[in-house]
Amino acid sequence: MTKDIATPVRTKEILEKHGFSFKKSLGQNFLIDPNILRNIVSHANLSEKTAVIEIGPGIGALTEHLARNAGKVVAFEIDGRLLPVLEDTLSPYDNVTIIHQDILEVDLGAVIQEQFADYEEIVVVANLPYYVTTPIILKFLHSKVPISAMVIMMQKEVADRITAHPGTKAYGSLSIAIQYYMDAEVAMIVPKTVFMPQPNVESAVIRLTRKEEVPAEVIDEDFLFEVSKGSFAQRRKTILNNLQTVLPDGKAKKDLILTALEHCEIDPRRRGESLSIEEFAKLSNALYNDFFRQ
Ligand code: SAM
C-alpha cells in the first residue's frame, strides 16, 4: 500500500511540490489525519460492489481511502488548480475518476447512468466545503437519484440541526427537509486540529441513510417544506401565528388554518418545534388546497 496523503508531512510536501495555496472562499480545509479518514470510511460500509461519489477531493486525502475500499470513485472538484495535483497523488489508483465541475451544476442522473451502470449501491462520502453544505445535500435528495447513504463532514452546528429531534433547540426546517428522506445521526465529532489549515469551527461527520418509506406521503413536497419553514419563522410564536403570517392571505384565512390544525389534531397553541415530521406532512396536506400557489 502506498503512503497516506493525509499526514502533515506528506500534505506539506504535496502542496510545496505543486505550489498550491489554499482558497478560503472554496472551503479548502484538508484532512491530515489518516485515523480520522479510516473512521469516516468505516461509517460508509464500502465494498467492491459499492460506487462512491465524492465532492471536493482536494489533494485526494479521502479519495485514496475510498479508492482502497470501494469498487469505483467519482469525485467532483471545482478548483482546476487541483487537477494536476490529483493526477499525481492518485496515480496508484485505477478506480478513480476526477471530474472538474461545480457539484451544484452536475446532472446527477446522467452521471450515475454513465459512470455507475454496473453498480447497485451508490453512496456519497465527502468532507464538504462548509460554505455550501446544505445546498449540496438538498441537491442530492431532491434530484431523487438512488443514493442509499451519505457520510459527510460538515460544521458541527449544521450537523446538530440536520440530526435534531422535535422538542430540541436545534430542530427546525433543515431537520425536516433532510429527515423526510433520510435517517440522520452524528457519527463522530472531529476536532479542528486534524485539518490544514484549521477551520474556525468544530466539525462533525453525519451518516444519512435512505428511509425505506417517507414518514407520510405528501401531496406536494415543496409545500411541505414551505409549511415547515414558515412554522419556524419566529420560533417563540405559536404554529397558528406563524402560519397566519407566512401563508398567502394567512390572516384573512385564519379559519381555514384552524380547521386544518383541528383536522390534524394539532393544538393551534403549539410551537413548530414540537411537531413531528409526520404531523407537518399531515398539516401540509390539509392546508394544500387552500394555500398552494402554482
Ligand atoms: N476531500 C479533501 C479533504 O478531506 O482533505 C478536501 C475537502 S475541502 C473541506 C473541500 C473541497 O471541496 C475543496 O477541495 C474545494 O476546492 C472543493 N469544492 C468547493 N466547492 C465546491 C463545489 N461547489 N463543487 C465541487 N467541489 C468544491
Side-chain angles (χ1 to χ4, degrees):
M1 198 177 285
T2 52
K3 256 198 316 179
D4 270 341
I5 294 167
T7 64
V9 172
R10 177 112 198 269
T11 298
K12 268 190 206 139
E13 267 172 24
I14 294 167
L15 297 176
E16 270 167 31
K17 177 175 170 192
H18 293 273
F20 184 82
S21 53
F22 296 102
K23 258 197 197 152
K24 217 176 167 185
S25 61
L26 290 179
Q28 291 179 339
N29 301 96
F30 296 167
L31 280 165
I32 50 165
D33 183 333
N35 289 323
I36 294 279
L37 286 160
R38 273 190 283 276
N39 214 338
I40 295 175
V41 171
S42 75
H43 286 288
N45 301 328
L46 302 179
S47 79
E48 278 288 293
K49 294 186 179 149
T50 321
V52 180
I53 296 179
E54 189 195 339
I55 301 126
I59 60 169
L62 174 59
T63 324
E64 74 172 350
H65 282 260
L66 298 171
R68 287 174 192 159
N69 290 282
K72 180 168 184 178
V73 182
V74 173
F76 294 92
E77 176 54 62
I78 198 171
D79 187 347
R81 300 174 307 152
L82 287 165
L83 267 66
V85 185
L86 288 162
E87 204 169 310
D88 179 12
T89 57
L90 297 176
S91 59
Y93 306 95
D94 60 7
N95 58 343
V96 178
T97 303
I98 305 289
I99 301 180
H100 178 206
Q101 204 174 356
D102 177 345
I103 189 68
L104 296 176
E105 302 288 325
V106 173
D107 178 345
L108 292 173
V111 165
I112 286 171
Q113 244 183 1
E114 279 161 27
Q115 300 280 347
F116 298 141
D118 303 333
Y119 290 88
E120 274 175 23
E121 209 205 0
I122 307 168
V123 301
V124 172
V125 186
N127 170 17
L128 290 174
Y130 292 178
Y131 75 104
V132 277
T133 304
T134 311
I136 292 175
I137 304 174
L138 292 177
K139 175 181 173 117
F140 276 90
L141 300 185
H142 292 164
S143 64
K144 310 275 182 217
V145 287
I147 301 291
S148 55
M150 298 178 83
V151 176
I152 39 186
M153 171 111 75
M154 62 192 65
Q155 154 174 2
K156 181 175 176 296
E157 186 260 333
V158 180
D160 287 341
R161 288 199 280 130
I162 289 176
T163 56
H165 296 301
T168 62
K169 238 172 132 182
Y171 182 65
S173 53
L174 184 61
S175 330
I176 294 157
I178 291 180
Q179 292 178 39
Y180 181 69
Y181 305 103
M182 311 293 273
D183 288 321
E185 57 178 1
V186 173
M188 57 199 269
I189 308 291
V190 180
K192 298 174 189 178
T193 47
V194 299
F195 297 91
M196 187 189 288
Q198 292 191 15
N200 297 325
V201 291
E202 233 189 326
S203 303
V205 175
I206 67 167
R207 182 176 159 80
L208 303 177
T209 319
R210 175 81 55 192
K211 286 188 159 136
E212 287 197 2
E213 280 177 36
V214 292
E217 288 296 339
V218 290
I219 304 170
D220 188 287
E221 288 177 7
D222 290 339
F223 188 59
L224 162 66
F225 301 134
E226 215 174 294
V227 168
S228 59
K229 203 168 176 191
S231 304
F232 290 95
Q234 293 202 39
R235 292 187 75 97
R236 296 169 62 83
K237 276 193 174 181
T238 64
I239 179 111
L240 174 62
N241 266 330
N242 270 325
L243 290 176
Q244 270 190 274
T245 313
V246 297
L247 289 172
D249 280 334
K251 292 252 183 314
K253 293 183 174 175
K254 181 178 177 185
D255 285 349
L256 292 175
I257 300 175
L258 276 169
T259 308
L261 286 165
E262 194 180 331
H263 174 79
C264 302
E265 297 176 4
I266 297 169
D267 187 325
R269 292 165 301 181
R270 282 171 65 185
R271 289 184 184 157
E273 70 180 35
S274 76
L275 268 68
S276 66
I277 300 181
E278 290 81 352
E279 286 179 309
F280 273 117
K282 272 196 220 156
L283 181 59
S284 78
N285 284 344
L287 290 167
Y288 181 81
N289 286 329
D290 295 320
F291 290 97
F292 186 62
R293 289 163 294 172
Q294 291 299 331

